[in-house]
Each structure stands twice: as C-alpha cells, then as structure tokens.
Amino acid sequence: QKRLVESGGGLVQPGGSLRLSCLVSGSIFSVFSGYNMAWYRQHPGNEREMVAQITTGRTTTYADSVKGRFTISRDNSKKKIFLQMNDLKPEDTAIYYCNNLQDPLPWGQGTQVTVSS
C-alpha cells in the first residue's frame, strides 16, 4: 500500500530556510521514477494550492509566489522528492503536502511550516 510521508517542517524566522522531504513508502523504484510529483500547501481556511512540480525528466515548474526561492528535486533511488525553501516569508506559513500528479494517492499528514519572528 503506497503512502505519502512528508517531513522537515518547523518554525523558522523570516529569511530562513527549510528542506522538506516526501517519501512515497510502499513504492518501488521503477514505479516512483515514472511519477510526475508535486508539492502543495494549504493555508488555514484556504484551498490546497500547488507550489512546485517536477516531471519524470526533472523539468520543474513553480508558482509565481515561490519562484526564485524554492527548489524542487527528486531522488528516485530513495523514492523521495524534496523542497528546498529559502528566504522564507510569513506568507509561506502553511501545511505542506506532496502527491503524484498522474494518479494521486491519499493525502499524507503533511508537514507544518511556520515562518515567524
């Protein structure tokens, strides 16, 4: 049974950095490497929004709000994707989730990112 496990969130001051990880547990290399994956975030009371995506060929796309500050990457051997977040702003505070674009899995628990002084 494939499951999404996000980690790496925390409390950070404005201007700080965090690196989020997402493991697709229960997957195998050959299956995971065929997934286009994405990071999403959800602010309290709002809809979940996509912030970054990475294709099987490692082409990346970003929401305008994070472009130039966030970097998505993947390690197929570990069945993981990552989100390096730099120059964090209070408006980046949210719960961050990952998922597969072609065949979404049940959502994981997410990881809380709080940017505050």
Side-chain angles (χ1 to χ4, degrees), residues 1-7 21-39 54 73-82 97-106 108-109:
Q1 191 83 359
K2 289 188 281 292
R3 195 165 62 93
L4 298 165
V5 183
E6 300 94 348
S7 62
S21 296
C22 163
L23 169 67
V24 183
S25 70
S27 182
I28 59 175
F29 170 83
S30 59
V31 173
F32 178 82
S33 60
Y35 289 162
N36 295 325
M37 295 289 297
W39 282 100
I54 185 166
S73 60
R74 65 190 299 157
D75 184 335
N76 290 339
S77 67
K78 295 181 179 177
K79 296 162 286 181
K80 285 185 172 181
I81 64 169
F82 305 95
Y97 302 87
C98 61
N99 215 325
N100 165 15
L101 287 169
Q102 296 108 307
D103 186 17
L105 298 168
Q109 82 287 352

Side-chain angles (χ1 to χ4, degrees), residues 32-61:
F32 178 82
S33 60
Y35 289 162
N36 295 325
M37 295 289 297
W39 282 100
Y40 301 79
R41 68 186 180 188
Q42 188 168 21
H43 299 99
N46 287 3
E47 295 288 317
R48 193 174 282 134
E49 63 175 356
M50 186 184 298
V51 296
Q53 59 178 289
I54 185 166
T55 68
T56 58
R58 301 178 190 269
T59 298
T60 57
T61 308

Side-chain angles (χ1 to χ4, degrees), residues 39 45 65 113:
W39 282 100
S65 58
V113 171

